[in-house]
Amino acid sequence: MHLHMHLLVSILSALFLQLVSSIAVDSSNSTYLFTQPVDHFDRTGNNNRQWSQRYMINSTFYRSGGPIFMITPGESPLLSYYTDSVHLASLAQSTGGMVVAIEHRFYGQSNPLPDLSGESLAYLTIDNVLEDFASFIRAIKTNPSSIFPMAVPKDTKVVFGGGSYAGNIAAWMRAKYPDLVEGAWASSAVVYGRLENYQYDQSYGHHLNVLGCGGCFAQAVKDLDDIFLSGDVQKIAEAQQKFGIPGLTTADSAALIAALVSSAANDPITQTGDPMDYAVCSYFADNKTNDSQSTSCLDRYAAATNGAIERLGLLPNMMLIMGNSSLGLDYTAVDQVSRTWYYQMCTWFGGWQVPPLKSTGLTAYRSELLNLDYWQGSCRKRFGPQIPVPVDVDAYNKKWFEILRGATNIYYTAGELEIWRDSTVATTQGNLLQSHRGSRIVVISGANHGQDMRLESELDLDSVKDARRIGNRLVSRWLGNKSRSRNNSVRSTSCA
């Protein structure tokens, strides 16, 4: 995600956490600290700086000898949601285990250094991130009293779980540290890097087409591009007014509109309906307009954008901050989720959300202004001339995707309709990995991003419930129960 898009996601996350608070499994909500080195791999002996990493524990159901289910919020601050309102809490309840959520370096209040400058973020490497969690687990297995306020055996088994980028962490931890982690539940893990991720655009369009509004939506994107590329200052200003957005550059305007109309794209699809239908496609239906015969696709696109602004309670000054990609280039204060994540995109895996090239013949569902230069253009401005542009995604995949090949005891899931699907192992073109012992790859029919990692609800799709049952059985096997079973309500690839 780009800077303004991550700010929008932060707002959405806050709203979601309010909704789930009423169904959370109670915990003590106490926060603890674990000491880590700034650089786990310094061999000079000159870098002995340390910092404090935050973690939380939900031991409500813990019985001595029960397993530990670990999770990191990934690119989000540490909150009790991650100990209380994820599926791992249900696993802890059924196994007499506990949930431990540990904050990711350079997010929230877990900052190895006092700022987010390019020099400080140089210590934000995948190796350092994983070694943080490995060091923590080693402490559990050698000196558990330094971690927990209650007695915990040294031979306690650890299962790592997470969704989206946190699902990457879970899979990598099992692949790199099989002696420390019994297994990993990697829900919608976006493990495959793509420099220009036009597949994101195509998955979004596929979802719209399933709901019946993809054609008019794509036409509206093209019509708005025609205005933005015309150079007609008056027409551009009128379009921005129609869409309810401040007077940004045309590229920033297109990016903000794309973020707004996709603000429900990761929301769970339940038995009561699909949030994308309400948030987007309903505006393209005749009953949403006063005169369906004369209302253009562009007008419907504008109505959907204004609907998102109203639904999210966004004010013009907030949108100006979110939409202006030139703001905050040299602002390096800590606790900026968007800045840290942007650094990871610039230096790790790309993932820039672009439309397909016209030469492919694919339909575009986002502006052609949102090209690679737009997204990566400020990497060096923000973090310094040492940042490689473009990022070497091939090198990333060679190390961090290939490490998963042959790894055992990993449960990969992906929602059939999720926009990130082609960054998971279960792409729309087929699986990128083969399952090995104790592993399985499941595409959850009709589901969205990371739904199986959410706390259970009676409104869940049957396919989501089935995917959790499959995962629960795998976890049981990882922990020592050898029972096996299959369920045919989800599409899967497995290997016993």
Side-chain angles (χ1 to χ4, degrees):
M1 286 174 278
H2 201 38
L3 187 63
H4 54 270
M5 298 179 73
H6 228 298
L7 288 170
L8 180 61
V9 169
S10 297
I11 294 171
L12 294 172
S13 297
L15 294 173
F16 171 71
L17 294 177
Q18 291 177 15
L19 290 174
V20 301
S21 60
S22 61
I23 58 173
V25 177
D26 290 336
S27 74
S28 65
N29 294 331
S30 297
T31 302
Y32 304 89
L33 299 176
F34 182 74
T35 301
Q36 298 276 16
V38 170
D39 186 1
H40 288 279
F41 303 98
D42 174 59
R43 299 293 181 257
T44 67
N46 297 324
N47 188 355
N48 56 6
R49 292 173 293 180
Q50 295 180 323
W51 59 286
S52 296
Q53 187 170 26
R54 295 197 306 159
Y55 64 99
M56 300 180 75
I57 300 169
N58 181 351
S59 58
T60 304
F61 307 106
Y62 183 67
R63 300 189 301 271
S64 182
I68 293 171
F69 296 96
M70 277 190 65
I71 187 171
T72 176
E75 73 277 30
S76 299
L78 179 66
L79 297 169
S80 60
Y81 165 78
Y82 295 100
T83 55
D84 303 355
S85 298
V86 296
H87 181 59
L88 300 185
S90 296
L91 284 169
Q93 183 175 11
S94 64
T95 60
M98 71 170 79
V99 182
V100 177
I102 182 167
E103 200 164 49
H104 191 294
R105 63 166 53 204
F106 289 109
Y107 285 100
Q109 298 177 40
S110 294
N111 293 289
L113 293 167
D115 63 40
L116 299 180
S117 64
E119 292 77 11
S120 294
L121 289 171
Y123 296 99
L124 178 56
T125 65
I126 301 177
D127 284 301
N128 266 328
V129 168
L130 299 185
E131 189 60 26
D132 286 340
F133 303 133
S135 295
F136 184 85
I137 298 172
R138 289 190 195 100
I140 291 175
K141 293 182 175 293
T142 57
N143 187 18
S145 63
S146 67
I147 302 294
F148 300 110
M150 77 288 290
V152 173
K154 292 182 179 179
D155 60 352
T156 296
K157 294 183 177 181
V158 175
V159 171
F160 220 111
S164 196
Y165 167 59
N168 295 28
I169 300 293
W172 287 334
M173 286 299 296
R174 169 58 189 176
K176 188 173 183 182
Y177 303 100
D179 56 323
L180 300 178
V181 176
E182 299 295 325
W185 190 318
S187 172
S188 293
V190 287
V191 292
Y192 192 78
R194 297 182 185 274
L195 180 63
E196 297 182 86
N197 189 13
Y198 73 87
Q199 291 86 351
Y200 176 100
D201 170 82
Q202 293 300 287
S203 293
Y204 180 74
H206 172 68
H207 197 162
L208 296 180
N209 284 318
V210 168
L211 295 172
C213 73
C216 195
F217 186 97
Q219 183 61 51
V221 171
K222 181 181 183 303
D223 292 344
L224 186 57
D225 262 4
D226 288 343
I227 296 172
F228 281 167
L229 293 168
S230 70
D232 189 318
V233 175
Q234 182 176 345
K235 285 186 177 180
I236 292 171
E238 289 173 352
Q240 290 174 325
Q241 183 68 28
K242 179 194 288 283
F243 278 78
I245 61 174
L248 302 164
T249 67
T250 52
D252 281 350
S253 294
L256 180 56
I257 291 169
L260 289 167
V261 295
S262 62
S263 58
N266 287 322
D267 290 355
I269 300 168
T270 68
Q271 295 179 28
T272 61
D274 186 335
M276 281 278 284
D277 196 9
Y278 168 78
V280 182
C281 282
S282 66
Y283 290 91
F284 289 81
D286 291 347
N287 61 5
K288 265 286 188 180
T289 58
N290 293 326
D291 185 351
S292 62
Q293 298 302 314
S294 62
T295 303
S296 68
C297 292
L298 186 65
D299 288 335
R300 296 168 191 251
Y301 190 32
T305 304
N306 282 283
I309 293 170
E310 181 179 356
R311 187 175 69 255
L312 299 170
L314 299 177
L315 301 175
N317 63 325
M318 296 170 64
M319 290 189 291
L320 182 62
I321 293 172
M322 287 191 296
N324 192 334
S325 61
S326 65
L327 286 179
L329 293 177
D330 56 357
Y331 184 63
T332 63
V334 297
D335 201 13
Q336 294 184 74
V337 167
S338 53
R339 183 177 178 87
T340 306
W341 184 249
Y342 195 62
Y343 180 86
Q344 290 178 250
M345 296 185 77
C346 288
T347 60
W348 289 14
F349 43 66
W352 308 116
Q353 295 161 17
V354 301
L357 294 174
K358 291 183 178 180
S359 59
T360 64
L362 297 171
T363 301
Y365 299 92
R366 61 185 49 233
S367 170
E368 66 179 80
L369 293 168
L370 305 182
N371 54 31
L372 182 60
D373 288 340
Y374 172 76
W375 291 121
Q376 69 179 11
S378 63
C379 286
R380 286 179 175 167
K381 294 177 183 177
R382 292 182 189 280
F383 305 114
Q386 77 283 1
I387 301 299
V389 177
V391 59
D392 191 346
V393 176
D394 289 339
Y396 163 86
N397 283 329
K398 184 176 181 180
K399 182 172 183 180
W400 295 112
F401 184 76
E402 290 301 318
I403 194 176
L404 302 174
R405 201 176 298 280
T408 62
N409 289 13
I410 302 178
Y411 182 38
Y412 296 103
T413 63
E416 180 186 16
L417 296 178
E418 68 167 279
I419 51 180
W420 297 103
R421 183 169 167 191
D422 280 332
S423 294
T424 74
V425 302
T427 75
T428 54
Q429 303 303 310
N431 293 340
L432 299 180
L433 295 175
Q434 292 184 341
S435 295
H436 291 269
R437 180 176 54 82
S439 297
R440 196 155 178 182
I441 301 170
V442 166
V443 176
I444 308 175
S445 178
N448 212 337
H449 191 60
Q451 284 195 234
D452 53 302
M453 189 49 61
R454 294 172 182 261
L455 201 64
E456 292 83 345
S457 165
E458 61 182 14
L459 299 178
D460 284 333
L461 300 175
D462 288 341
S463 58
V464 174
K465 296 176 183 177
D466 290 338
R468 289 200 192 100
R469 292 189 190 104
I470 291 172
N472 293 349
R473 292 172 186 136
L474 282 172
V475 170
S476 181
R477 290 172 60 187
W478 301 339
L479 295 176
N481 185 336
K482 303 299 184 182
S483 64
R484 303 180 184 181
S485 63
R486 288 185 178 271
N487 193 303
N488 294 320
S489 63
V490 292
R491 296 179 304 178
S492 66
T493 299
S494 62
C495 181

